[in-house]
């Protein structure tokens, strides 16, 4: 279902990427997350782990980058 404004920068964020270290087959791979972002027309896909504080800054940087990109189009 489509809802919400269309002129909003949307990124897909994969959280808890640290859990992938457990090699659980239920975890979403980078490739699957990226494909899903493409399929649902998100502007980008990023992953982070708040527990390990990995790539959390990337999430915010990407949000700002996509907002600026959308504003300039």
């Amino acid at each position: 279902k489509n809802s919400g404004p269309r002129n909003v920068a949307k990124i897909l964020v994969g959280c808890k990427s640290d859990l992938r270290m457990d090699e659980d087959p239920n975890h979403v791979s980078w490739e699957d997350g990226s494909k899903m972002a493409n399929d649902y027309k998100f502007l980008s896909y990023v992953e982070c782990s708040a527990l390990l504080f990995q790539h959390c800054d990337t999430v915010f940087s990407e949000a700002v980058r996509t907002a600026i990109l959308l504003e300039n189009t």
Side-chain angles (χ1 to χ4, degrees):
K1 181 178 180 180
N2 292 329
S3 62
R6 296 190 184 278
N7 60 344
V8 175
K10 297 175 195 148
I11 62 172
L12 182 60
V13 180
C15 300
K16 298 187 177 187
S17 62
D18 54 281
L19 294 179
R20 192 177 298 130
M21 290 181 222
D22 297 339
E23 297 184 25
D24 182 340
N26 294 319
H27 293 169
V28 175
S29 69
W30 173 268
E31 292 79 15
D32 288 343
S34 186
K35 182 182 180 322
M36 186 175 288
N38 243 359
D39 292 348
Y40 288 95
K41 301 193 180 358
F42 285 85
L43 295 177
S44 66
Y45 173 69
V46 292
E47 293 183 333
C48 69
S49 167
L51 177 69
L52 301 176
F53 203 70
Q54 290 178 328
H55 309 293
C56 294
D57 56 336
T58 304
V59 174
F60 291 101
S61 298
E62 192 64 14
V64 170
R65 187 190 73 79
T66 54
I68 291 170
L69 178 71
L70 190 66
E71 185 176 294
N72 290 333
T73 58

